[in-house]
Amino acid sequence: MSEKRVVFSGIQPTGNLHLGNYLGAVKNWVARQDEKINYFCVVDLHSLTLPQDPETLRTQTRSLAAVLMACGIDPDKSTLFIQSHVTAHAEACWLLNCITPLGWLQRMTQFKDKSARQESIGTGLLDYPVLQAADIILYDAHEVPVGEDQKQHVELTRDIAQRFNHIYEQEFFVIPEPVIPEVGARVMGLDDPMAKMSKSLAHTRGHAIRLLDEPKEILRSFKKAVTDSGNEIVFSDDPEKAGVNNLLGIYKAVTEKSEAEVLADFADARGYGDLKVGVAEAVIETLKPIQMRYNELMADPAELDRIMKQGADQARAVSTPKLDEMKHIMGLTLP
Ligand code: ATP
Ligand code: LTN
Protein backbone atom coordinates (compact mmCIF):
# COMPACT_ATOMS: atom_id res chain seq x y z
CA MET A 1 0.00 0.00 0.00
CA SER A 2 1.20 3.53 -0.76
CA GLU A 3 2.63 5.45 2.20
CA LYS A 4 1.76 8.75 0.59
CA ARG A 5 -1.04 10.81 2.08
CA VAL A 6 -3.90 11.95 -0.13
CA VAL A 7 -4.49 15.69 -0.51
CA PHE A 8 -7.65 17.28 -1.92
CA SER A 9 -8.33 20.96 -2.39
CA GLY A 10 -10.64 23.06 -4.49
CA ILE A 11 -10.88 26.60 -5.73
CA GLN A 12 -13.86 28.38 -7.28
CA PRO A 13 -13.58 29.90 -10.76
CA THR A 14 -15.25 33.11 -9.58
CA GLY A 15 -12.57 35.68 -10.35
CA ASN A 16 -8.93 36.33 -10.98
CA LEU A 17 -6.45 34.62 -8.70
CA HIS A 18 -4.56 37.07 -6.51
CA LEU A 19 -1.32 37.06 -4.58
CA GLY A 20 -3.15 35.87 -1.42
CA ASN A 21 -4.54 32.80 -3.18
CA TYR A 22 -1.09 32.10 -4.59
CA LEU A 23 1.00 32.59 -1.43
CA GLY A 24 -1.63 31.19 0.97
CA ALA A 25 -2.74 28.16 -1.02
CA VAL A 26 -1.48 27.37 -4.52
CA LYS A 27 2.25 27.83 -3.84
CA ASN A 28 2.00 25.30 -0.99
CA TRP A 29 0.09 22.82 -3.14
CA VAL A 30 2.86 23.07 -5.73
CA ALA A 31 5.66 22.70 -3.17
CA ARG A 32 4.27 19.47 -1.70
CA GLN A 33 3.28 17.79 -4.96
CA ASP A 34 6.04 15.17 -4.84
CA GLU A 35 5.33 14.11 -1.26
CA LYS A 36 1.60 13.49 -1.68
CA ILE A 37 -1.09 12.04 -3.91
CA ASN A 38 -2.85 15.21 -5.00
CA TYR A 39 -6.26 16.15 -6.34
CA PHE A 40 -6.83 19.78 -7.24
CA CYS A 41 -10.27 20.68 -8.44
CA VAL A 42 -11.73 23.74 -10.16
CA VAL A 43 -15.07 23.68 -8.34
CA ASP A 44 -17.40 25.11 -10.97
CA LEU A 45 -20.51 23.51 -9.40
CA HIS A 46 -19.80 25.44 -6.22
CA SER A 47 -19.69 28.68 -8.22
CA LEU A 48 -23.29 28.13 -9.30
CA THR A 49 -24.43 28.70 -5.71
CA LEU A 50 -24.33 32.44 -6.48
CA PRO A 51 -25.56 34.01 -9.75
CA GLN A 52 -23.02 33.69 -12.60
CA ASP A 53 -22.97 34.84 -16.20
CA PRO A 54 -22.69 31.53 -18.16
CA GLU A 55 -20.11 32.72 -20.69
CA THR A 56 -17.96 34.35 -18.01
CA LEU A 57 -18.07 31.22 -15.87
CA ARG A 58 -16.99 29.06 -18.82
CA THR A 59 -14.08 31.39 -19.62
CA GLN A 60 -12.96 31.68 -16.00
CA THR A 61 -13.06 27.92 -15.47
CA ARG A 62 -10.62 27.29 -18.30
CA SER A 63 -8.50 30.30 -17.32
CA LEU A 64 -8.24 29.11 -13.69
CA ALA A 65 -7.09 25.67 -14.81
CA ALA A 66 -4.38 27.35 -16.92
CA VAL A 67 -3.35 29.66 -14.05
CA LEU A 68 -2.99 26.69 -11.69
CA MET A 69 -0.74 24.91 -14.17
CA ALA A 70 1.22 28.10 -14.84
CA CYS A 71 1.82 28.34 -11.06
CA GLY A 72 3.38 24.89 -11.16
CA ILE A 73 0.60 22.33 -10.67
CA ASP A 74 1.99 19.58 -12.87
CA PRO A 75 -0.67 17.32 -14.39
CA ASP A 76 1.86 14.47 -14.40
CA LYS A 77 2.21 14.74 -10.61
CA SER A 78 -1.26 15.89 -9.56
CA THR A 79 -4.75 15.18 -10.80
CA LEU A 80 -6.10 18.55 -11.91
CA PHE A 81 -9.71 18.53 -13.06
CA ILE A 82 -12.98 20.38 -13.37
CA GLN A 83 -15.59 19.30 -10.83
CA SER A 84 -18.58 19.14 -13.18
CA HIS A 85 -16.68 16.76 -15.50
CA VAL A 86 -16.83 14.08 -12.81
CA THR A 87 -20.49 13.41 -12.11
CA ALA A 88 -19.73 11.34 -8.99
CA HIS A 89 -19.42 14.60 -7.01
CA ALA A 90 -23.03 15.69 -7.55
CA GLU A 91 -24.29 12.14 -7.01
CA ALA A 92 -22.36 11.66 -3.78
CA CYS A 93 -23.67 15.04 -2.65
CA TRP A 94 -27.25 13.76 -2.96
CA LEU A 95 -26.45 10.64 -0.96
CA LEU A 96 -24.76 12.69 1.76
CA ASN A 97 -27.68 15.17 1.78
CA CYS A 98 -29.89 12.34 2.92
CA ILE A 99 -27.84 11.74 6.08
CA THR A 100 -26.97 15.38 6.89
CA PRO A 101 -29.15 17.15 9.46
CA LEU A 102 -30.45 20.51 8.20
CA GLY A 103 -29.39 22.24 11.43
CA TRP A 104 -25.73 21.46 10.70
CA LEU A 105 -25.93 23.48 7.46
CA GLN A 106 -27.91 26.36 8.91
CA ARG A 107 -25.12 26.89 11.45
CA MET A 108 -22.37 27.46 8.85
CA THR A 109 -21.01 31.00 9.15
CA GLN A 110 -20.27 31.29 5.43
CA PHE A 111 -23.92 30.46 4.66
CA LYS A 112 -25.09 33.09 7.14
CA ASP A 113 -22.72 35.71 5.64
CA LYS A 114 -23.43 34.95 2.01
CA SER A 115 -27.20 34.57 2.44
CA ALA A 116 -27.37 37.90 4.29
CA ARG A 117 -25.94 39.56 1.15
CA GLN A 118 -28.49 37.95 -1.24
CA GLU A 119 -32.09 38.92 -1.91
CA SER A 120 -33.02 35.43 -2.99
CA ILE A 121 -31.17 32.41 -1.63
CA GLY A 122 -30.80 29.26 -3.69
CA THR A 123 -30.92 25.85 -1.99
CA GLY A 124 -27.42 25.25 -3.38
CA LEU A 125 -25.97 27.94 -1.13
CA LEU A 126 -27.17 26.06 1.96
CA ASP A 127 -26.03 22.75 0.50
CA TYR A 128 -22.59 24.07 -0.55
CA PRO A 129 -20.65 22.34 2.27
CA VAL A 130 -22.26 18.96 1.54
CA LEU A 131 -20.94 19.14 -2.03
CA GLN A 132 -17.56 20.10 -0.57
CA ALA A 133 -17.76 17.04 1.72
CA ALA A 134 -18.55 14.86 -1.31
CA ASP A 135 -15.47 16.27 -3.14
CA ILE A 136 -13.21 15.31 -0.27
CA ILE A 137 -14.53 11.91 0.84
CA LEU A 138 -14.74 10.41 -2.67
CA TYR A 139 -10.92 10.42 -2.82
CA ASP A 140 -10.28 9.20 0.75
CA ALA A 141 -8.37 12.46 1.30
CA HIS A 142 -6.40 12.73 4.55
CA GLU A 143 -5.46 16.39 4.16
CA VAL A 144 -7.39 19.41 2.94
CA PRO A 145 -5.16 22.49 2.57
CA VAL A 146 -7.44 25.52 2.88
CA GLY A 147 -7.58 28.99 4.39
CA GLU A 148 -8.89 29.66 7.87
CA ASP A 149 -12.34 30.57 6.47
CA GLN A 150 -12.82 27.00 5.21
CA LYS A 151 -11.97 25.27 8.48
CA GLN A 152 -15.61 25.01 9.54
CA HIS A 153 -16.53 23.34 6.24
CA VAL A 154 -13.80 20.73 6.64
CA GLU A 155 -14.96 20.09 10.20
CA LEU A 156 -18.47 19.56 8.84
CA THR A 157 -17.02 17.09 6.32
CA ARG A 158 -15.51 15.18 9.25
CA ASP A 159 -18.89 15.13 11.01
CA ILE A 160 -20.71 13.90 7.89
CA ALA A 161 -18.10 11.18 7.23
CA GLN A 162 -18.27 10.04 10.87
CA ARG A 163 -22.07 9.98 10.77
CA PHE A 164 -22.03 7.82 7.64
CA ASN A 165 -19.50 5.43 9.20
CA HIS A 166 -21.64 5.27 12.34
CA ILE A 167 -25.00 4.70 10.59
CA TYR A 168 -23.62 1.98 8.34
CA GLU A 169 -21.36 0.55 11.04
CA GLN A 170 -18.07 0.52 9.14
CA GLU A 171 -14.93 2.61 8.68
CA PHE A 172 -15.83 3.43 5.09
CA PHE A 173 -14.76 7.06 4.82
CA VAL A 174 -11.39 8.48 5.82
CA ILE A 175 -11.85 11.35 8.30
CA PRO A 176 -9.96 14.28 6.72
CA GLU A 177 -7.92 16.99 8.49
CA PRO A 178 -7.89 20.66 7.51
CA VAL A 179 -4.35 21.91 6.84
CA ILE A 180 -4.29 25.65 7.48
CA PRO A 181 -1.35 27.64 6.08
CA GLU A 182 1.16 29.06 8.56
CA VAL A 183 0.63 32.51 9.99
CA GLY A 184 2.19 35.03 7.61
CA ALA A 185 0.61 33.35 4.60
CA ARG A 186 -2.34 35.66 5.19
CA VAL A 187 -1.88 38.41 2.65
CA MET A 188 -3.75 41.61 3.46
CA GLY A 189 -5.33 44.12 1.08
CA LEU A 190 -2.89 46.81 -0.11
CA ASP A 191 -5.58 49.46 0.30
CA ASP A 192 -6.52 48.22 3.79
CA PRO A 193 -3.87 46.16 5.58
CA MET A 194 -6.39 45.11 8.26
CA ALA A 195 -8.59 43.26 5.71
CA LYS A 196 -7.68 39.99 3.98
CA MET A 197 -6.87 40.30 0.26
CA SER A 198 -9.96 38.79 -1.34
CA LYS A 199 -11.13 37.67 -4.78
CA SER A 200 -14.44 39.45 -4.47
CA LEU A 201 -12.58 42.76 -4.01
CA ALA A 202 -9.84 41.98 -6.57
CA HIS A 203 -11.40 44.40 -9.05
CA THR A 204 -11.27 47.31 -6.64
CA ARG A 205 -8.30 49.42 -7.74
CA GLY A 206 -5.26 49.04 -5.53
CA HIS A 207 -6.76 46.27 -3.33
CA ALA A 208 -5.19 43.13 -4.76
CA ILE A 209 -2.33 42.07 -6.98
CA ARG A 210 -3.82 39.68 -9.49
CA LEU A 211 -1.46 37.06 -10.87
CA LEU A 212 -2.07 38.22 -14.41
CA ASP A 213 -1.63 41.96 -13.78
CA GLU A 214 0.80 43.86 -16.02
CA PRO A 215 4.10 44.94 -14.35
CA LYS A 216 3.06 48.61 -14.68
CA GLU A 217 -0.17 47.96 -12.81
CA ILE A 218 1.62 45.96 -10.10
CA LEU A 219 4.07 48.80 -9.52
CA ARG A 220 1.20 51.32 -9.42
CA SER A 221 -0.74 49.25 -6.86
CA PHE A 222 2.29 48.85 -4.59
CA LYS A 223 3.15 52.55 -4.83
CA LYS A 224 -0.35 53.36 -3.57
CA ALA A 225 -0.23 50.76 -0.74
CA VAL A 226 -1.40 52.13 2.62
CA THR A 227 1.43 52.35 5.19
CA ASP A 228 1.88 54.67 8.21
CA SER A 229 3.21 58.13 8.87
CA GLY A 230 6.57 56.85 10.24
CA ASN A 231 9.60 55.57 8.39
CA GLU A 232 10.62 52.41 10.24
CA ILE A 233 10.93 49.25 8.11
CA VAL A 234 10.33 46.43 10.61
CA PHE A 235 8.24 43.27 10.98
CA SER A 236 5.66 44.11 13.64
CA ASP A 237 2.31 43.00 15.12
CA ASP A 238 1.39 46.60 15.87
CA PRO A 239 -1.82 47.41 13.92
CA GLU A 240 -0.24 50.82 13.15
CA LYS A 241 2.51 49.03 11.18
CA ALA A 242 0.17 46.53 9.46
CA GLY A 243 0.84 48.01 6.00
CA VAL A 244 4.64 47.80 6.27
CA ASN A 245 4.36 44.36 7.87
CA ASN A 246 2.21 43.16 4.97
CA LEU A 247 4.70 44.48 2.39
CA LEU A 248 7.61 42.79 4.18
CA GLY A 249 5.57 39.57 4.49
CA ILE A 250 4.87 39.54 0.76
CA TYR A 251 8.56 40.16 0.00
CA LYS A 252 9.58 37.39 2.40
CA ALA A 253 7.13 34.93 0.85
CA VAL A 254 8.06 35.59 -2.78
CA THR A 255 11.84 35.69 -2.22
CA GLU A 256 11.77 32.83 0.34
CA LYS A 257 14.31 34.78 2.43
CA SER A 258 14.61 34.89 6.23
CA GLU A 259 13.39 37.95 8.16
CA ALA A 260 17.00 39.02 8.75
CA GLU A 261 17.81 38.79 5.03
CA VAL A 262 14.67 40.74 4.17
CA LEU A 263 15.57 43.53 6.59
CA ALA A 264 19.16 43.57 5.27
CA ASP A 265 17.80 44.07 1.73
CA PHE A 266 16.00 47.23 2.91
CA ALA A 267 18.69 48.49 5.30
CA ASP A 268 19.64 51.28 2.86
CA ALA A 269 16.09 52.19 1.87
CA ARG A 270 15.43 55.91 2.04
CA GLY A 271 11.82 55.44 3.12
CA TYR A 272 8.65 53.54 2.30
CA GLY A 273 8.93 54.56 -1.37
CA ASP A 274 12.03 52.37 -1.79
CA LEU A 275 10.36 49.54 0.13
CA LYS A 276 7.30 49.62 -2.13
CA VAL A 277 9.38 49.59 -5.31
CA GLY A 278 11.57 46.76 -3.98
CA VAL A 279 8.56 44.61 -3.13
CA ALA A 280 6.88 45.39 -6.46
CA GLU A 281 10.03 44.36 -8.37
CA ALA A 282 10.28 41.06 -6.48
CA VAL A 283 6.60 40.30 -7.15
CA ILE A 284 6.94 41.22 -10.85
CA GLU A 285 9.94 38.85 -11.13
CA THR A 286 7.97 36.03 -9.45
CA LEU A 287 4.93 36.51 -11.64
CA LYS A 288 6.80 36.91 -14.94
CA PRO A 289 7.35 33.16 -15.61
CA ILE A 290 3.80 32.38 -14.41
CA GLN A 291 2.35 34.91 -16.85
CA MET A 292 4.49 33.63 -19.73
CA ARG A 293 3.46 30.04 -19.08
CA TYR A 294 -0.19 31.11 -18.74
CA ASN A 295 -0.09 32.79 -22.15
CA GLU A 296 1.44 29.69 -23.75
CA LEU A 297 -1.21 27.44 -22.22
CA MET A 298 -4.08 29.70 -23.24
CA ALA A 299 -2.72 29.82 -26.82
CA ASP A 300 -3.32 26.09 -27.17
CA PRO A 301 -6.91 25.42 -26.04
CA ALA A 302 -6.92 21.91 -27.53
CA GLU A 303 -3.98 20.91 -25.33
CA LEU A 304 -5.63 22.48 -22.28
CA ASP A 305 -8.82 20.53 -22.99
CA ARG A 306 -6.76 17.35 -23.40
CA ILE A 307 -5.14 17.88 -19.99
CA MET A 308 -8.51 18.59 -18.35
CA LYS A 309 -9.95 15.43 -19.91
CA GLN A 310 -7.00 13.40 -18.68
CA GLY A 311 -7.51 14.82 -15.16
CA ALA A 312 -11.23 14.03 -15.22
CA ASP A 313 -10.50 10.46 -16.41
CA GLN A 314 -8.04 9.96 -13.54
CA ALA A 315 -10.46 11.44 -11.01
CA ARG A 316 -13.30 9.27 -12.31
CA ALA A 317 -11.20 6.12 -12.02
CA VAL A 318 -10.88 6.76 -8.28
CA SER A 319 -14.25 8.29 -7.42
CA THR A 320 -16.61 6.04 -9.41
CA PRO A 321 -15.77 2.80 -7.55
CA LYS A 322 -15.98 4.69 -4.24
CA LEU A 323 -19.40 6.04 -5.20
CA ASP A 324 -20.58 2.57 -6.27
CA GLU A 325 -19.51 1.12 -2.94
CA MET A 326 -21.27 3.95 -1.16
CA LYS A 327 -24.48 3.28 -3.09
CA HIS A 328 -24.25 -0.42 -2.30
CA ILE A 329 -23.74 0.25 1.41
CA MET A 330 -26.83 2.50 1.40
CA GLY A 331 -28.99 -0.19 -0.21
CA LEU A 332 -29.13 0.99 -3.80
CA THR A 333 -28.90 -1.51 -6.63
CA LEU A 334 -26.13 -1.04 -9.19
CA PRO A 335 -26.97 -1.36 -12.90
P1 ATP B 1 -13.59 35.37 -1.87
O1 ATP B 1 -13.09 36.72 -1.53
O2 ATP B 1 -14.53 35.35 -3.05
O3 ATP B 1 -14.09 34.59 -0.68
P2 ATP B 1 -10.94 34.34 -1.74
O4 ATP B 1 -9.99 35.32 -2.28
O5 ATP B 1 -11.06 34.19 -0.27
O6 ATP B 1 -12.37 34.53 -2.41
P3 ATP B 1 -11.11 31.48 -2.23
O7 ATP B 1 -11.40 30.93 -3.59
O8 ATP B 1 -12.21 31.42 -1.20
O9 ATP B 1 -10.52 32.96 -2.38
O10 ATP B 1 -9.87 30.77 -1.62
C1 ATP B 1 -8.99 29.97 -2.31
C2 ATP B 1 -7.81 29.69 -1.39
O11 ATP B 1 -6.98 30.88 -1.33
C3 ATP B 1 -8.25 29.40 0.03
O12 ATP B 1 -7.99 28.05 0.35
C4 ATP B 1 -7.39 30.30 0.92
O13 ATP B 1 -6.47 29.52 1.67
C5 ATP B 1 -6.53 31.11 0.01
N1 ATP B 1 -6.59 32.55 0.31
C6 ATP B 1 -7.57 33.41 -0.06
N2 ATP B 1 -7.28 34.66 0.31
C7 ATP B 1 -6.08 34.62 0.95
C8 ATP B 1 -5.23 35.62 1.56
N3 ATP B 1 -5.56 36.90 1.55
N4 ATP B 1 -4.07 35.24 2.10
C9 ATP B 1 -3.71 33.92 2.10
N5 ATP B 1 -4.46 32.94 1.54
C10 ATP B 1 -5.63 33.26 0.97
N1 LTN C 1 -15.20 26.08 -0.42
C1 LTN C 1 -13.83 26.20 -0.90
C2 LTN C 1 -13.66 25.55 -2.23
C3 LTN C 1 -13.83 24.06 -2.17
C4 LTN C 1 -12.96 23.14 -1.51
C5 LTN C 1 -13.50 21.85 -1.78
C6 LTN C 1 -11.80 23.32 -0.77
C7 LTN C 1 -14.81 23.32 -2.75
N2 LTN C 1 -14.61 21.98 -2.53
C8 LTN C 1 -12.89 20.74 -1.26
C9 LTN C 1 -11.20 22.16 -0.24
C10 LTN C 1 -11.75 20.89 -0.50
C11 LTN C 1 -13.45 27.70 -1.02
O1 LTN C 1 -14.29 28.50 -1.24
N3 LTN C 1 -12.18 28.02 -0.91
Side-chain angles (χ1 to χ4, degrees):
M1 218 183 68
S2 167
E3 295 290 305
K4 287 190 175 178
R5 309 246 306 160
V6 178
V7 170
F8 189 103
S9 201
I11 187 155
Q12 294 192 69
T14 42
N16 288 301
L17 235 65
H18 55 69
L19 207 54
N21 300 131
Y22 177 65
L23 297 176
V26 181
K27 191 170 189 264
N28 303 322
W29 303 352
V30 172
R32 294 165 2 135
Q33 268 182 122
D34 291 319
E35 296 159 33
K36 315 273 177 179
I37 296 169
N38 315 279
Y39 297 91
F40 298 120
C41 187
V42 176
V43 293
D44 55 348
L45 295 175
H46 276 105
S47 302
L48 294 177
T49 57
L50 291 177
Q52 304 292 338
D53 170 62
E55 222 31 73
T56 310
L57 179 59
R58 231 185 311 277
T59 310
Q60 284 183 345
T61 299
R62 179 181 259 149
S63 162
L64 178 55
V67 170
L68 292 175
M69 279 194 281
C71 288
I73 300 291
D74 178 348
D76 291 329
K77 293 182 183 169
S78 298
T79 299
L80 174 64
F81 67 106
I82 295 168
Q83 189 185 33
S84 64
H85 294 185
V86 181
T87 54
H89 293 238
E91 277 192 76
C93 175
W94 175 257
L95 301 179
L96 295 180
N97 276 339
C98 297
I99 64 147
T100 304
L102 187 57
W104 288 7
L105 303 182
Q106 286 165 329
R107 278 201 291 274
M108 292 295 109
T109 45
Q110 194 184 74
F111 171 69
K112 289 195 237 172
D113 289 350
K114 286 191 178 174
S115 56
R117 283 186 253 139
Q118 294 294 310
E119 260 177 45
S120 148
I121 304 153
T123 309
L125 194 61
L126 179 68
D127 205 28
Y128 179 112
V130 182
L131 180 59
Q132 184 164 350
D135 296 341
I136 297 166
I137 49 94
L138 278 173
Y139 298 88
D140 288 329
H142 304 99
E143 298 177 17
V144 185
V146 282
E148 185 65 37
D149 57 326
Q150 292 299 316
K151 193 166 172 226
Q152 197 185 31
H153 286 166
V154 183
E155 275 159 6
L156 183 81
T157 301
R158 292 168 61 83
D159 291 343
I160 295 174
Q162 269 157 353
R163 187 169 166 92
F164 186 99
N165 290 353
H166 178 75
I167 294 172
Y168 296 103
E169 297 178 332
Q170 50 189 297
E171 295 305 305
F172 180 63
F173 288 128
V174 169
I175 312 300
E177 301 276 350
V179 178
I180 312 292
E182 285 166 32
V183 195
R186 186 175 165 81
V187 179
M188 310 310 277
L190 297 183
D191 57 344
D192 176 3
M194 297 306 282
K196 181 187 93 113
M197 190 178 282
S198 138
K199 250 200 252 135
S200 10
L201 292 174
H203 289 281
T204 313
R205 256 182 185 278
H207 169 74
I209 300 296
R210 292 165 299 183
L211 300 196
L212 303 176
D213 280 347
E214 298 270 345
K216 256 195 316 205
E217 198 170 343
I218 296 176
L219 184 61
R220 196 168 49 217
S221 298
F222 274 111
K223 279 188 171 168
K224 283 199 318 207
V226 170
T227 46
D228 55 82
S229 54
N231 57 8
E232 228 192 335
I233 300 178
V234 285
F235 286 98
S236 162
D237 292 338
D238 180 354
E240 264 292 296
K241 306 282 310 171
V244 168
N245 196 56
N246 190 37
L247 292 174
L248 289 172
I250 291 173
Y251 185 85
K252 178 171 182 266
V254 295
T255 59
E256 296 178 3
K257 291 186 176 179
S258 69
E259 290 197 1
E261 288 169 327
V262 170
L263 295 178
D265 283 354
F266 293 107
D268 297 331
R270 276 158 300 153
Y272 294 157
D274 285 356
L275 170 68
K276 290 174 179 180
V277 172
V279 179
E281 281 170 356
V283 168
I284 291 167
E285 273 313 296
T286 304
L287 296 185
K288 203 188 278 171
I290 294 177
Q291 296 179 348
M292 275 170 60
R293 180 85 188 106
Y294 171 81
N295 291 332
E296 283 165 19
L297 287 161
M298 290 301 277
D300 191 351
E303 175 62 3
L304 196 57
D305 288 349
R306 189 195 64 76
I307 295 170
M308 287 308 105
K309 182 175 179 311
Q310 171 188 298
D313 289 345
Q314 286 167 0
R316 239 179 260 120
V318 175
S319 54
T320 309
K322 189 76 182 175
L323 176 69
D324 282 349
E325 260 189 278
M326 190 179 167
K327 287 178 173 171
H328 178 73
I329 290 171
M330 296 180 87
L332 302 179
T333 54
L334 297 176

